[in-house]
Amino acid sequence: MRELIPAYLKVLSAVWAAFFCVFIPAGSAMAGYPVVKAIQVKDNPFSVRVNMTGKAPVKVIRVGEREVLVAIKNASLAKGLVIGGKDNPNLESVHVDILEGNVVALMVTGKHASEENIKPVFNASNNQLTVVLNKAVKAPAPAPKRVPVTQVAAVRKPSTPAVSKPGKPPLAPATDPREKQTVADDPNDPAVQVAAFRPKAEPAPDSVKKKDTGRTKANEKIKEPPLYTPPKRQASRFKGDISDMYRGEDPLQDCQANAVENAMILVKKQLYKEAGAILEQYLFEKNSFCLEQVYYLKAYVNFMGVENDDPAGLLAAERMFQDAMVAYPKSLYIPFAYAAMGLIHTRLHNSATAEGYFDIVSKDFPDYSGMPEVEYHLAEIYNGRGYTDKALNLYKKVFESKISNDYIPDAGLGYGKALFENLRYYDALSVLNYVIKNDVKKVYDSADLLKYTADANFELGLSQGARENYIRLLNLFPDIKAPDMALSKVGDAYGMENQEEKAIKLYELVREKYPDSPGYINASIGIARYLKTDAEKIKIYEMIKTRFPENTYARIAMMRLAEIYQQNGEYDKCIQEIEDLLSTHPRGLRYEAVKLMQKAYEALFKEQLKADEYTSILTRYEKEQFKLKKMGGRLIPFYVGSAYLKADLYEEAFNQLISAYKLYKREERPALLLFGLGKAMDESGRDDDALKLLDAFAKRFPKDKNRVEALTRVGQIYLEKGSFSKADNAFASAYTAGRDALDKGRILMLRASVYQRKSDLKTASGLQARAVKAFAASPGGNYELLAGAYKTLGSSYLEMKSYGQAADAFAKALDFSEGDRDKANIGFLLGDAYQKGNVLDKAKKTFEQVAQSYDSVWARLARQRLSTMGLAEKMINS
């Protein structure tokens, strides 16, 4: 719903395109504009919240001291948009419109819009734009108003069908409730309308499930809204229309000509032809009295006597009124003349001309007694042009008039219809029920009253009211447009009440009587709900999308197919079905389809990560990353980042995980995300950030399986920075948290390196000895670890000049080592330990073995050492 926007915004519209070209980065425009679904003015703090279907460039400009303009580029408005929270005590006015260049302009004027730097904040996880106008203002809840329609909105409950059998979930109508969007997140706001309940038999996507979980208790029962309570109305001799021209104490304004008085008597009896003859004769006789009254009265009787299918007669009546206005421009009959000409062009379907005449009456003659008729027809014109907000206000004004008039029932029907079109089903039903109760004949005038009453009941999940009104509609108006849909919704209503047999019979009747109709499709979808197997349901949905590809119900069938595939874990099929849906019905269910596709990708990636198929994730992401990035959400970058991490592509992993990290609230960030991001930071050289994150992770998740590695990485970073005390503390904490002997051994070796750096070889060798024992105690053949640990221990002993212990460690390392090079290396170290420990015979024997190895480097070094030992021996003997 749009409202008139201040005139000076129109001046700004011409520069928006250039403005955004300069200030918006290239590539920010989206293929397919995001839709502004709802606007809500909120308290605590005073702010405006805009719900959208995607991200768009946004600019906030302070226009005046208390006026703020929010401009959203490349966006569109949802049909029937409702602005919630207009009764906010901090708000003076709020307007929305579309300017040139596809700019949605939202102008907010508040009593307290004093923030110096007002910046928009966009939450990509739920596509919600928030503009805080004043953080300090926390307005108290407004006192409830005495206006009945808004009062019932304040006590509105979410919709759910009545439950006739406890313990069994009610079935929702086959008509997809998601075709109508909800418009706010506050269940007590008058703008909120809730679509029909979704059944457990057809589970919604995860995104829908999460919304509904908090409403289970509230959805247990829906009550019919209370009947609208009208204001106390004053009786009046006027009817509120053009016929007031002959009402009142002196309608002829002191004219005492007998002929004119007789004509007026005939007019009151609706004998327009006879009255016209008297007036023609009066003018023919060239009487000079009461000519003003005669001119206007003659035009009136000619207008009232013309049939709707006689445009020439209507135009002749208009000319008579114009002649009267030219002859007597200051007459008291002037507003009647303008109103009559507006009615004439209404009958001629010239709505623009009619609107012009009605506007003159409403602006220049505010005290005109026939104003209800004028305002009602203006409302009809606005409604026909799609200005639903203007139409609603005028319908409401006539309907809630405190002076009785004949247009109250008609305005009530128009008001109820306008409320319905604005998704305010609860209020609409309250008004429409009042019209039916207070003017029973209105039911028989047209099908609209029963149709909208039935539809409002249906949308609210009031199955009995919906069913009774649809049946009454079909009985009274068998020739209505789309009887198939009305009859199929009767079946839906039975489904809400768990009357399965009756529902199926109605669906089968519709399918038999109205083939190839929307009702046939709706009935088919309804029958699919009762089928036992997914294969049977798939068959019906495939039939609908194949036979009726252009019908809007085809997109519902495709969504149902996608949901089935998603529930059964056939994620590729789900994704393909949604891609087909978006390509054939780009506007239909787009938001929910994309969200379901997102859930399918998330579930698929999660499953592949669990199966260690991270290469499949990365292959798909590299191929479809443009589409995946547009979906938003936080799980996809989380899972993709985790896959990059498993592939040891740490820079890519960091970019993905940091994106996911920013989308989570602080307290909601999962342990694996924090650890994975910390690891990616560590491996990509972001040591300071890694320290903070890994340390915070270890403290927040003391029992997590990755805590040992996190603390170990913290210790290694501190060790590289030379913070030995902090490194030792981290390694000690990691050792305490560890349960696996291998992990404990590795941590002990790292901790030993701290003391080696501090030149405390005694402590270092003690820790290395404990590490060797830990490796030896762990199950499996950990020969490589044992060889390395013994080699490191031997080197420590060698540096401490404990040559015997060093030789023992190297000997054990040699036993566990594999490969010629490793054996040659450790053999040389063993020989060196023997030589330095003066065990020369063992040293010589060991060097000889190394000299015969295939490793040329260590063999050459061993031969050099042997030659040195031989020379020393000769010198001693000589």
Side-chain angles (χ1 to χ4, degrees), residues 117 166 301 537 554 565 710 722 731 792:
N117 297 315
V301 298
K537 294 179 180 181
Y565 293 141
F731 289 138
T792 303

Side-chain angles (χ1 to χ4, degrees), residues 660-686:
Y661 178 88
K662 293 176 180 178
L663 296 175
Y664 278 92
K665 292 182 180 179
R666 181 188 181 95
E667 63 276 4
E668 294 177 356
R669 288 168 184 151
L672 191 59
L673 173 61
L674 296 179
F675 171 72
L677 181 56
K679 181 178 178 179
M681 288 174 170
D682 181 19
E683 295 290 349
S684 60
R686 298 171 172 86

Side-chain angles (χ1 to χ4, degrees), residues 2 10 22 79 156 162 210 229 239 282 294 344 350 451 561 596 609 611 617 620 728 756 759 787 823:
R2 302 184 187 180
K10 304 299 181 182
V22 174
K79 183 179 180 181
R156 183 178 305 135
K210 289 181 181 178
T229 305
K239 295 296 184 181
Y282 187 81
V294 171
I344 287 169
N350 297 329
K451 179 187 179 299
L561 284 170
L596 181 59
L609 269 180
I617 297 175
R620 188 155 200 163
D728 186 49
Q756 282 183 312
S759 300
K823 285 183 177 292

Side-chain angles (χ1 to χ4, degrees), residues 205 559 562-563 566 574 578 592-600:
M559 274 295 291
E563 288 171 0
Q566 203 265 353
C574 174
I578 293 174
E592 292 224 4
V594 172
K595 284 301 175 185
L596 181 59
M597 182 191 284
Q598 176 186 325
K599 294 296 179 184

Side-chain angles (χ1 to χ4, degrees), residues 601 604-623 628 636-650 652-653 656 672 679:
Y601 271 110
L604 177 63
F605 288 171
K606 182 179 181 180
E607 197 173 80
Q608 290 176 331
L609 269 180
K610 191 174 181 181
D612 206 31
E613 298 174 2
Y614 58 89
T615 54
S616 299
I617 297 175
L618 297 181
T619 301
R620 188 155 200 163
Y621 177 76
E622 293 292 344
K623 182 180 178 182
L628 291 170
I636 288 178
F638 179 20
Y639 293 147
V640 172
S642 300
Y644 275 124
L645 202 61
K646 282 180 172 284
D648 296 333
L649 298 170
Y650 299 113
E652 293 84 351
Q656 293 293 328
L672 191 59
K679 181 178 178 179

Side-chain angles (χ1 to χ4, degrees), residues 375-449:
E375 291 173 335
Y376 171 78
H377 284 288
L378 268 176
E380 291 280 278
I381 291 170
Y382 290 144
N383 190 57
R385 291 185 178 179
Y387 299 148
T388 52
D389 193 35
K390 282 184 171 184
L392 187 146
N393 290 333
L394 284 174
Y395 282 134
K396 181 180 180 182
K397 182 178 179 182
V398 177
F399 180 62
E400 295 185 345
S401 172
K402 294 183 180 180
I403 300 176
S404 295
N405 65 77
D406 284 359
Y407 272 86
I408 287 174
D410 289 330
L413 173 57
Y415 185 33
K417 289 165 62 176
L419 288 169
F420 182 92
E421 295 300 334
N422 278 283
L423 312 183
R424 295 173 61 180
Y425 309 126
Y426 198 88
D427 296 343
L429 187 55
S430 175
V431 170
L432 294 171
N433 281 341
Y434 169 83
V435 174
I436 291 174
K437 183 177 179 180
N438 288 273
D439 194 342
V440 178
K441 294 181 181 179
K442 200 72 183 167
V443 171
Y444 303 95
D445 288 350
S446 74
D448 279 357
L449 183 53

